[in-house]
Amino acid sequence: MNQSNCIVAQSGGPTVAINASLAGVIAGVKSSEKYDICYGAVNGILGILNENYLNLSDIFADDANLEKLKTTPAMYLGSCRHKLPDYKDDDSPYVYIFHQFDKLSIKAFFYIGGNDSMDTVLKLSDYAKKINSDVKIIGIPKTIDNDLCMTDHTPGFGSAAKYIASSMLEIAHDTFIYAVKSVTIVEIMGRDAGWLTAASALARNEYNTAPQFIYLPEVNFDKDKFVADIKEALAHTNNVIVAVSEGIHDADGSYITSSKAACDQFGHQQLSGAGKALEFIVKENIGVKVRSVEVNVLQRCASHLASLTDIEESFAQGKKGVTIAAEGVTASMVCLKRISNKPYQVEYTYSAIKDIANEAKSVPREWINDAGNDVKPELIEYLKPLIQGETAVAYKNGLPDYMDVSHLHKCN
Amino acid sequence: MNQSNCIVAQSGGPTVAINASLAGVIAGVKSSEKYDICYGAVNGILGILNENYLNLSDIFADDANLEKLKTTPAMYLGSCRHKLPDYKDDDSPYVYIFHQFDKLSIKAFFYIGGNDSMDTVLKLSDYAKKINSDVKIIGIPKTIDNDLCMTDHTPGFGSAAKYIASSMLEIAHDTFIYAVKSVTIVEIMGRDAGWLTAASALARNEYNTAPQFIYLPEVNFDKDKFVADIKEALAHTNNVIVAVSEGIHDADGSYITSSKAACDQFGHQQLSGAGKALEFIVKENIGVKVRSVEVNVLQRCASHLASLTDIEESFAQGKKGVTIAAEGVTASMVCLKRISNKPYQVEYTYSAIKDIANEAKSVPREWINDAGNDVKPELIEYLKPLIQGETAVAYKNGLPDYMDVSHLHKCN
């Protein structure tokens, strides 16, 4: 009757680590003296508005399930892209949400997500303050884009970075085999921030200098400079590999898409990504063998190649969320502070959500080389620790053995 | 002085297992009483024409290197796409090649490759016969397409199939998260044979029914039927996932490309693949959220997710090549015969190269359902054993630790 429960939800795009943070929240509630049941809302904040809950304390009573959840990709609880209105304009969803909180004896709400989700955390925090609610509102970060402020890096990023670097190395092996001049363009996710594309630099080793060039959205893209870069590299190496963020743009802020490149060549519009655009530019201006590879959604859901560091930190950040809520913290997001790089050491902390929501962290210009076509050693040193270690993914019938997510299949 | 040496080369497109077969050849020569040095020609048959050799017996004297080679993707020796002329038209390359064989005291030549490479094996075999050469000419199969005749399946296919099935499962997790109707098209390699696309069916398990449809090049693609399939599936499930071979074509034999689909919609040509084409068709005819994912080159070079069964069989087939050459066999390709499926058991054998070169093996129509939009259980049972087991890929600094291939970097 006098229960003190929690509810958790996930929102935004998938990552490999977002379920590890969920597992952390569940584990945190399990070991907490303050909280009883941990509920999960299905499909983010919509799960509360639709009264679509799971009893996670029941489902994950067995620790083996919790371990399996840690290495299952995407969202066990499903996701949504739902922007709450300003409560001053329309407080009806807020009234409903806090009514649900009362009904379920919720004392803490945890929202695992990226920038947009932190906007929801901020709005709920503001409303809670206004109505003097004692429900603690806590954000748990997650985004492969690594663009949340006030934290050293974000859960999900390290695994995506490991996937990108490994893929770049394997693409390099694939590319090296022909003794003919070639250019390979690898397009990597990142509309506004180039962190993930920068991680491709980690593929360089004693025998691999690829990617030879890295173009990030933090630097205006110059087509002529790009053509000159490639020509110069082809003079002394057969196989040139280029890593490019999907979000590169010219000095006017226009995205580099193949509609533009194709227009130059064929006189009509094509709609495609930056990789295709650069492929067209090479074809048109240099004329060597060229192909583009768009690294697909696997960069955010390939749990079979997760970073152990990322998974462990994501779990710990979920757990930290419960700890700080129990201590009375609210209107905050769990953060990571890097104490030292060698040896790598982090501290789990938190910051006010108002300093995080609707802000974004780009790659600092001083971590990109002057020519704007590569990253500096400082950035590589920052990235290195985040991809270390491999998780022990179990295999069943030759495939990764992930958590059953059939509860997400219900046709609404 | 009286040496009896071997030479090996690799040709065609990369796979995850082609270096395992190379390791098998090297190990076979190491343990052979007949052969002394194992040379490797760099960039396929071109390596012999250009006198570009490596002494593999030296490089892989240490067994630890041989183990590492087994799990390194693509070609350690590089590749080529070089078609020899008919010796009746022009015997000059043959004269040169067999002169090199004499110079190096070569008694056996091993060519690891797919259909085109087996054409080279056939031509060299015919010429060897004509000049009464005692050099044994042996093909070692390799292709992710699984389309070589006379063998149960081909090295490299099992690993690619495991990658495709795992990726399909991870894409399904990625897709399930939103409670909105959506269609995801996954385009998989396979211009003429649908084996690899069929392997996506292995992703189905107790909670995942994706892919809901599988379209192979062995069945003529019917756009109206496709639209009806998708509409019907969307009536009872939110997220429909489609696996499609890059080589699907209509009843006239025209490839389904987005130039066609885009023409329907915008009235002008676009050049892209089958996945994009199906994406356009869904957009135009159904109007739900749709995206296409082109599984990129990683399906043939992601050694971090190799099938142990595939790697072990590929190694054994390389070794078998040396054994049969030593026994006096020539003009043949190493083959696999499946003795039993439960338990899975294979026998290593060989077949005359004339029955293999320039032939291709498609998915039998009776292993595809009547509607032509899915595979039958017989095909799934055939595929299952091939993706079993995981290799112990070593990691260094958070990335797979592969063999140094810097010898391929020389700018020709």
Side-chain angles (χ1 to χ4, degrees), chain A residues 160-223:
Chain A
K162 187 186 186 89
Y163 182 86
I164 289 297
S166 300
S167 299
M168 179 55 77
L169 181 61
E170 292 176 336
I171 290 170
H173 275 267
D174 190 274
T175 301
F176 291 157
I177 63 167
Y178 294 116
V180 291
K181 300 269 176 205
S182 75
V183 176
T184 303
I185 315 283
V186 181
E187 183 189 315
I188 297 161
M189 283 181 176
R191 185 55 65 179
D192 302 310
W195 296 105
L196 203 48
T197 304
S200 63
L202 297 171
R204 294 175 188 152
N205 60 24
E206 61 278 16
Y207 62 85
N208 173 42
T209 55
Q212 275 76 23
F213 300 106
I214 299 176
Y215 300 98
L216 308 183
E218 282 82 356
V219 176
N220 293 333
F221 184 80
D222 179 328
K223 188 186 135 179

Side-chain angles (χ1 to χ4, degrees), chain A residues 236-407:
Chain A
H236 54 82
T237 188
N238 262 343
N239 312 118
V240 174
I241 305 184
V242 172
V244 59
S245 286
E246 58 175 338
I248 55 163
H249 52 77
D250 62 21
D252 299 332
S254 304
Y255 286 124
I256 310 298
T257 68
S258 70
S259 65
K260 204 163 190 179
C263 265
D264 292 348
Q265 193 176 21
F266 303 117
H268 56 65
Q269 284 264 322
Q270 282 198 351
L271 304 167
S272 196
K276 246 336 178 215
L278 268 48
E279 181 187 329
F280 278 119
I281 292 172
V282 171
K283 216 173 259 172
E284 207 179 335
N285 294 278
I286 304 182
V288 296
K289 184 182 162 195
V290 57
R291 72 172 166 198
S292 61
V293 173
E294 189 184 340
V295 185
N296 54 49
V297 293
L298 290 170
Q299 66 194 290
R300 68 185 192 194
C301 64
S303 283
H304 71 267
L305 192 59
S307 152
L308 181 63
T309 300
D310 182 30
I311 297 299
E312 285 179 345
E313 288 180 350
S314 301
F315 180 80
Q317 283 175 88
K319 225 170 158 181
K320 176 75 176 181
V322 179
T323 309
I324 61 173
E327 288 168 3
V329 173
T330 189
S332 294
M333 186 186 85
V334 176
C335 293
L336 270 178
K337 198 173 158 184
R338 193 179 305 214
I339 302 301
S340 99
N341 209 37
K342 282 180 189 174
Y344 174 68
Q345 235 182 319
V346 289
E347 193 175 271
Y348 296 89
T349 168
Y350 59 90
S351 290
I353 193 69
K354 65 174 171 44
D355 298 330
I356 297 169
N358 306 308
E359 301 288 333
K361 186 176 71 179
S362 302
V363 176
R365 186 60 183 85
E366 60 267 28
W367 280 4
I368 304 171
N369 71 350
D370 291 344
N373 59 13
D374 203 349
V375 300
K376 283 198 186 164
E378 295 89 317
L379 180 42
I380 294 177
E381 290 310 309
Y382 162 85
L383 293 169
K384 260 187 195 164
L386 313 185
I387 68 161
Q388 301 303 315
E390 292 73 48
T391 57
V393 174
Y395 280 77
K396 200 171 97 182
N397 300 324
L399 297 180
D401 187 18
Y402 297 137
M403 275 298 289
D404 185 326
V405 290
S406 48
H407 57 280

Side-chain angles (χ1 to χ4, degrees), chain B residues 129-381:
Chain B
K129 192 175 173 188
K130 189 206 153 214
I131 63 165
N132 279 317
S133 165
D134 64 347
V135 178
K136 308 304 173 206
I137 311 288
I138 300 289
I140 317 268
K142 137 339 292 192
T143 166
I144 62 164
D145 291 333
N146 198 37
D147 61 348
L148 284 168
C149 296
M150 307 299 290
T151 189
D152 183 76
H153 57 276
T154 58
F157 172 66
S159 293
K162 187 186 185 89
Y163 182 86
I164 289 296
S166 300
S167 299
M168 179 56 78
L169 180 61
E170 291 175 337
I171 290 170
H173 275 268
D174 189 273
T175 301
F176 291 159
I177 63 165
Y178 293 115
V180 292
K181 299 269 177 205
S182 73
V183 176
T184 303
I185 316 282
V186 182
E187 183 189 316
I188 297 162
M189 283 180 176
R191 185 55 65 178
D192 303 309
W195 296 106
L196 203 49
T197 304
S200 64
L202 297 171
R204 294 175 187 151
N205 60 25
E206 62 278 16
Y207 63 85
N208 173 40
T209 55
Q212 275 75 22
F213 300 106
I214 299 177
Y215 300 99
L216 308 182
E218 282 81 358
V219 177
N220 293 333
F221 184 81
D222 179 328
K223 185 186 137 178
D224 296 334
K225 176 76 177 61
F226 166 72
V227 171
D229 283 348
I230 302 295
K231 279 186 178 163
E232 200 274 328
L234 283 171
H236 55 82
T237 189
N238 262 344
N239 312 116
V240 175
I241 305 184
V242 172
V244 60
S245 286
E246 58 176 338
I248 56 163
H249 51 77
D250 62 21
D252 300 330
S254 303
Y255 287 122
I256 310 298
T257 66
S258 70
S259 65
K260 204 163 193 181
C263 265
D264 292 348
Q265 194 178 18
F266 304 117
H268 57 66
Q269 285 263 323
Q270 281 199 354
L271 303 166
S272 196
K276 249 329 180 221
L278 269 51
E279 180 187 330
F280 277 120
I281 293 172
V282 171
K283 217 173 259 174
E284 206 178 336
N285 294 277
I286 305 182
V288 297
K289 183 184 161 192
V290 57
R291 73 173 165 194
S292 62
V293 173
E294 188 184 342
V295 185
N296 54 48
V297 293
L298 291 170
Q299 67 195 290
R300 68 184 192 195
C301 63
S303 283
H304 72 267
L305 191 59
S307 152
L308 182 62
T309 301
D310 182 31
I311 297 300
E312 285 179 345
E313 288 180 352
S314 300
F315 180 79
Q317 284 176 88
K319 224 171 159 179
K320 177 75 176 180
V322 179
T323 309
I324 62 172
E327 288 167 4
V329 173
T330 188
S332 293
M333 186 187 84
V334 176
C335 291
L336 270 177
K337 198 172 157 184
R338 193 179 308 213
I339 302 300
S340 103
N341 210 36
K342 281 177 187 175
Y344 174 69
Q345 238 182 316
V346 289
E347 194 175 271
Y348 295 89
T349 167
Y350 59 90
S351 290
I353 193 69
K354 67 176 169 41
D355 299 330
I356 297 169
N358 307 308
E359 301 288 333
K361 186 176 71 177
S362 301
V363 175
R365 185 59 182 86
E366 59 269 26
W367 281 5
I368 304 171
N369 71 348
D370 291 344
N373 59 15
D374 204 350
V375 299
K376 284 197 186 163
E378 294 90 316
L379 180 43
I380 295 177
E381 289 310 309

